[in-house]
């Protein structure tokens, strides 16, 4: 999964197999590694111009959605903080359950947890990556 640039995945693993941790790591890499994310975007849509990719790299929001917001906090918030803790300049936000990663001025890079019990909360947000 981590070596692929595919747009869609269906990952089937047993309970406690590491699905959440794998996706949080995947989102974190996409948020902080411009070269990897550029290569992924070129693979997903070969027609993207340099200008298109530059704009897509400017604001990047990655969402991991669990069945409920309470479950997101209980299951994924600590692992998300843990995998990001060694990256200098991160800004954890416990209220939003998000990590904002260092980015150039005028850019945004965020990995955030959501609950499917409030899907309207995602309305209008342009996501760069999503896992359920």
């Amino acid at each position: 999964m981590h070596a692929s640039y595919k747009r869609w995945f269906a990952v089937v693993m047993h309970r406690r197999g590491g699905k959440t941790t794998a996706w949080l790591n995947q989102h974190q890499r996409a948020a902080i590694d411009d070269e990897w994310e550029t290569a992924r975007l070129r693979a997903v849509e070969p027609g993207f111009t340099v200008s298109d990719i530059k704009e897509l790299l400017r604001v990047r929001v990655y969402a991991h959605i669990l069945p409920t917001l309470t479950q997101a906090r209980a299951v994924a918030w600590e692992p998300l903080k843990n995998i990001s803790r060694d990256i200098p300049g991160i800004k954890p936000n416990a209220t939003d359950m998000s990590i904002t990663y260092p980015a150039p001025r005028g850019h945004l890079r965020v990995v955030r947890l959501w609950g499917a019990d409030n899907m309207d909360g995602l309305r209008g947000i342009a996501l760069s990556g999503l896992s359920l």
Side-chain angles (χ1 to χ4, degrees):
M1 174 186 106
H2 293 302
S4 177
Y5 294 133
K6 289 184 179 179
R7 183 175 183 182
W8 304 104
F9 281 93
V11 177
V12 179
M13 293 172 67
H14 60 82
R15 187 173 179 276
R16 307 267 319 145
K19 298 175 294 291
T20 296
T21 302
W23 282 111
L24 294 176
N25 276 290
Q26 183 82 350
H27 290 320
Q28 179 174 275
R29 176 174 58 173
I32 64 175
D33 188 341
D34 288 350
E35 288 181 30
W36 186 86
E37 186 65 348
T38 297
R40 186 190 70 81
L41 289 168
R42 288 187 197 284
V44 168
E45 179 50 63
F48 280 153
T49 66
V50 171
S51 176
D52 293 335
I53 290 175
K54 185 176 180 180
E55 182 59 26
L56 289 168
L57 292 177
R58 194 175 62 76
V59 175
R60 295 171 5 217
V61 178
Y62 302 89
H64 184 66
I65 302 175
L66 283 91
T68 67
L69 193 59
T70 301
Q71 187 177 14
R73 185 170 304 282
V75 171
W77 179 232
E78 287 301 320
L80 179 57
K81 289 190 301 183
N82 186 45
I83 66 169
S84 65
R85 73 172 178 242
D86 292 331
I87 298 171
I90 62 158
K91 294 179 184 163
N93 182 326
T95 303
D96 288 345
M97 286 188 296
S98 66
I99 303 289
T100 300
Y101 294 88
R105 187 175 189 86
H107 291 228
L108 178 67
R109 297 173 184 166
V110 177
V111 176
R112 184 170 174 182
L113 304 175
W114 298 85
D117 50 348
N118 181 19
M119 291 307 288
D120 284 338
L122 282 166
R123 191 180 309 262
I125 297 173
L127 296 173
S128 300
L130 169 68
S131 55
L132 305 166

